Amino acid sequence: MTASVRVCFFRWKWIVYPLSSIFEEFAIKIIKTVKEIQTRSEMLRKEGRVISFVPTMGFLHEGHLALLREGRRLGDDLILSIFVNPTQFGPGEDYESYPRDFEKDFELARKEGVDVVFTPTKDELYGDRFQTHVALESLTKHLCGLSRPSHFKGVATVVAKLFNIVKPHIAVFGQKDFQQLAIIRQMVSDLDFDIEIKGVQTVREKDGLAMSSRNAGLAPEQRKTALCLYSSLVKSRERIQEGEKNASALIQEMKVYIISRFETEIDYISICDPDTLDDVDKIERPVLIALAVKVGKTRLIDNMIISP
Ligand code: PAF
């Protein structure tokens, strides 16, 4: 055998590899262009490999890592995208100040066994003549969709684009963004994307605060206050399990609890049907309680499914 080839048992088969490609196999690849990742994914699909995909806006935390682990478990090749998508931010929202740290993300991705990080520029994805959007009807007319009217059009459009670019078999999303997950499932079904969508449970800090890239924007006092989202959900769960059935009474209790906290501003608190997101008056079946609250300038969301 020459110095430049080697026979090895690799990824379930014996293969004669040039040494250079062994190193390539272990290296995490950064891809910035649509063409390059499409070509790579087509090749992987032809080889019969299962591609799993985790789309993110970066600034990775334990919640994202749980998605990556699920993706790693389910697929042969794991692709992570990092793209702070401008079209899902409304005027005056935090697109410019959204936290970014590519070096750290890259290191975390490497440790989680990501094969490819796709990180396109804004121009690569949208150019300057972009004019097609994906807009859903009823699911977007609830919860975050009410106060962020163009948000889910931006999310659905970019996720549809990413699906066409990355060509995954499986895509993994967090349940913390419950409405986003519902919208993506609906879009996948309506537009016949041949992709399996996996939802992963919200990962929480030790005290219960849902992990979010935006938590980094909280000052120490605000970080303490932020816990009121989770505590109000826990209190409501107790009240429902004690027999409370009146949704508006519960919402009122949550409001009083939250606005008594330092620097809070409630965007919405909703008790709704987990499938349609329509408001529920009487709690007789499992319900979704979802809320969005600003703590200082940081907008946080959380949710819980609760059975009576
Ligand atoms: O959840 C997110 O981080 C984003 O909304 C997503 C799905 C990556 C689309 O930009």
Side-chain angles (χ1 to χ4, degrees):
M1 191 187 307
T2 68
S4 63
V5 292
R6 187 164 165 182
V7 180
C8 60
F9 184 68
F10 194 70
R11 292 208 170 146
W12 307 291
K13 35 187 184 202
W14 286 99
I15 292 178
V16 180
Y17 265 94
L19 273 184
S20 60
S21 52
I22 291 174
F23 292 123
E24 258 173 39
E25 276 286 351
F26 286 111
I28 168 169
K29 225 174 150 39
I30 300 179
I31 295 185
K32 289 181 177 291
T33 67
V34 169
K35 197 80 228 134
E36 189 181 348
I37 192 139
Q38 277 180 330
T39 309
R40 188 185 165 98
S41 288
E42 271 156 26
M43 188 193 78
L44 292 170
R45 279 180 161 261
K46 275 191 198 132
E47 288 171 4
R49 299 181 68 82
V50 174
I51 302 173
S52 54
F53 175 44
V54 178
T56 74
M57 299 208 296
F59 212 71
L60 304 183
H61 50 69
E62 274 299 325
H64 295 114
L65 303 190
L67 307 184
L68 290 175
R69 282 168 204 152
E70 183 66 353
R72 182 71 282 163
R73 191 178 73 77
L74 296 169
D76 299 319
D77 282 76
L78 174 59
I79 302 181
L80 160 72
S81 68
I82 297 180
F83 177 65
V84 184
N85 173 38
T87 67
Q88 67 189 75
F89 291 82
E93 289 187 354
D94 56 348
Y95 171 65
E96 296 299 340
S97 61
Y98 195 85
R100 294 157 168 92
D101 187 345
F102 184 75
E103 293 303 308
K104 188 168 163 232
D105 288 348
F106 181 75
E107 196 40 37
L108 288 168
R110 199 184 55 74
K111 285 193 184 135
E112 293 303 328
V114 168
D115 296 292
V116 173
V117 181
F118 176 54
T119 133
T121 60
K122 201 162 83 180
D123 277 356
E124 179 68 12
L125 279 207
Y126 293 110
D128 50 13
R129 298 180 55 200
F130 190 83
Q131 50 184 306
T132 305
H133 296 276
V134 179
L136 286 88
E137 289 174 10
S138 59
L139 278 177
T140 57
K141 298 202 170 66
H142 301 275
L143 313 182
C144 294
L146 295 175
S147 48
R148 305 183 74 191
S150 57
H151 173 65
F152 288 116
K153 188 165 101 178
V155 171
T157 303
V158 81
V159 171
K161 279 171 71 61
L162 289 168
F163 284 173
N164 286 327
I165 293 166
V166 172
K167 302 176 189 282
H169 297 89
I170 298 160
V172 189
F173 293 85
Q175 285 170 355
K176 195 198 90 184
D177 296 293
F178 191 96
Q179 187 175 16
Q180 169 171 285
L181 177 59
I183 283 170
I184 285 159
R185 286 193 200 282
Q186 186 69 44
M187 175 186 83
V188 162
S189 155
D190 290 349
L191 300 185
D192 305 302
F193 280 100
D194 188 11
I195 299 174
E196 190 184 337
I197 303 299
K198 286 274 172 190
V200 170
Q201 262 192 357
T202 304
V203 179
R204 298 183 179 279
E205 303 279 359
K206 279 207 181 80
D207 61 2
L209 177 69
M211 297 234 179
S212 161
S213 304
R214 288 192 168 98
N215 292 351
L218 296 167
E221 259 324 288
Q222 295 172 336
R223 167 64 184 80
K224 287 186 202 153
T225 302
L227 193 57
C228 71
L229 280 85
Y230 178 65
S231 328
S232 69
L233 288 169
V234 172
K235 275 185 201 304
S236 296
R237 181 174 60 197
E238 281 164 17
R239 297 274 294 109
I240 290 174
Q241 287 169 353
E242 281 159 14
E244 179 62 78
K245 292 205 179 314
N246 184 332
S248 18
L250 269 181
I251 291 175
Q252 189 52 29
E253 284 173 26
M254 289 175 78
K255 278 188 180 158
V256 170
Y257 176 74
I258 290 169
I259 52 171
S260 70
R261 309 284 136 156
F262 177 65
E263 278 193 277
T264 53
E265 191 190 319
I266 297 172
D267 178 355
Y268 66 80
I269 300 176
S270 168
I271 301 188
C272 58
D273 180 294
D275 296 323
T276 61
L277 307 185
D278 290 335
D279 285 342
V280 161
D281 294 329
K282 216 162 174 216
I283 303 167
E284 286 167 326
R285 287 170 286 118
V287 288
L288 172 76
I289 307 195
L291 73 167
V293 176
K294 261 187 158 181
V295 178
K297 288 201 166 108
T298 308
R299 186 177 181 279
L300 302 172
I301 57 173
D302 203 346
N303 68 76
M304 211 179 255
I305 299 231
I306 301 172
S307 301

